Amino acid sequence: MSTRRDFIRKIAGSAITAAAVPQALMAGNQPEGAALKVAIMGLGSYGNRVAEAMQACTRAKLAGAISGTPSKLAAWQSRYGIAEKNCYHYDNFDEIRNNRDIDAVYVIVPNALHHDFVLRAARAGKHVICEKPMAVNAKQAAEMVAACDKAGVKLLVGYRMHFEPKTLEVIRMRKAGDFGKIKFFQGLSGFNIGDPTQWRLKKELAGGGAMMDIGIYSINGARYMIGEDPVWVTAQETKTDFVKFREGVDETIQFQLGFPGGAVASCLSTYSLNNLDRFFLDGEKGWAEMLPSTGYGPIKGRTHKGELTQPHITHQTIQMDEMAAIILDNKQPVVPVDGREGLKDMKIIDAIYEAVKTGKKTELSL
Ligand code: NDP
């Protein structure tokens, strides 16, 4: 892969002076064809965070917006210089098919809407980035993978931690054998959810409760920290507030995952506790702790060898640049971020809900 950054790095290290660097490159403008042109769908809290972070991207460019709120579209046009012809509503966005200014649609709407919008974006011939959880169950996720395969477009899931430098260092150390045989992982993921009227507490929009929203970080984290896919799950639910957390909206679930190499993960997903963002990995020769482990950062981490010192980079900036390289250059990330990776997490979530219901160990085949 050759990126604008690589190019600048190369010439910076050569005899060519900064004055010789083309102005467009130094100024952050993209040479024609080098950037992934992205339309963000859903201009809510996270959509805004991604848009802001993309201003520092070198390979991904915010080129369009899709929203049900005209005033937000107008604001984004002036704030980010988005052309009016690159703005859509949910009912006309299929026309994006004819828009050569857009290469990819980034779906950042409530969970239950991901499936339909990803299918429509794929049918329009656009690559798709979809927020986590990619769907509300594995059946939907499998359909999304199949639809993108059929349309010949890439489907990526917004797993920003897969590009986070300290996380990648722990994964490197684990692969190098620094921790020895991995025996145990603990994942604690949760926060105290506020406004009881928000979509995250509505089954029809969220698909579930804390597990869909925040517990998924411990599921996904267990897999990338241990480096295997689980083969069984057990789970127990606790509910203390039956008004706020209605039928189908989980407040707190503890779950355990068993891995083929013998490691076990013990995890907690909750909407009723603050300060819960910790990963702990234990092996026969060493350990790693990430605290916080998945928030927007800076992530902090230490191992039996000392503090992790990798720099903090805005997660969504590095994510979008790396995703541009995956889509445009077929770059292979250290930890996959494709639809099949997201589908695995959805199968695990289905199995966790099943295990809560039956009280039994549920076998997994990912
Ligand atoms: P918000 O409620 O802040 O924004 C969602 C946006 O979706 C709305 O502002 C709206 O935008 C659009 N929307 C379309 N239909 C609906 C509907 N029926 N009800 C509500 N909103 C609707 O949510 P978030 O931005 O926090 O979350 C969106 C997605 O991003 C979720 O899947 C979530 O899990 C994921 N997320 C991921 C994070 C990460 O770190 N990877 C962090 C936070 C969220 P408009 O007015 O433009 O139509």
Side-chain angles (χ1 to χ4, degrees), residues 41-49 66-69 72 90 106-114 117 131-133 158-160 199-200 205 212-213 217 294 296 316 319:
M41 170 190 284
L43 316 187
S45 154
Y46 198 63
N48 273 283
R49 183 178 287 273
I66 304 149
S67 170
T69 313
K72 292 184 187 171
Y90 298 119
Y106 192 165
V107 175
I108 318 186
V109 293
N111 311 338
L113 309 177
H114 293 178
F117 283 133
E131 255 319 312
K132 47 55 58 180
Y159 288 129
R160 62 187 158 76
W199 66 261
R200 282 183 166 77
L205 283 172
M212 288 284 173
D213 192 32
Y217 284 98
T294 65
Y296 297 138
Q316 297 79 8
Q319 172 203 326

Side-chain angles (χ1 to χ4, degrees), residues 91-110:
D91 48 6
N92 75 354
F93 106 90
D94 307 84
E95 291 166 16
I96 208 166
R97 159 194 320 277
N98 305 314
N99 191 334
R100 299 184 63 153
D101 285 355
I102 309 294
D103 303 316
V105 174
Y106 192 165
V107 175
I108 318 186
V109 293

Side-chain angles (χ1 to χ4, degrees), residues 5 9 160-161 163-170 290 295-301 307-318:
R5 204 185 287 147
R9 200 180 293 132
R160 62 187 158 76
M161 300 315 297
F163 307 105
E164 196 281 318
K166 292 189 182 75
T167 302
L168 289 175
E169 173 59 9
V170 172
M290 316 291 285
Y296 297 138
I299 300 300
K300 287 196 183 134
E307 291 290 319
L308 295 171
T309 55
Q310 287 66 29
H312 170 69
I313 306 171
T314 302
H315 295 178
Q316 297 79 8
T317 304
I318 191 167

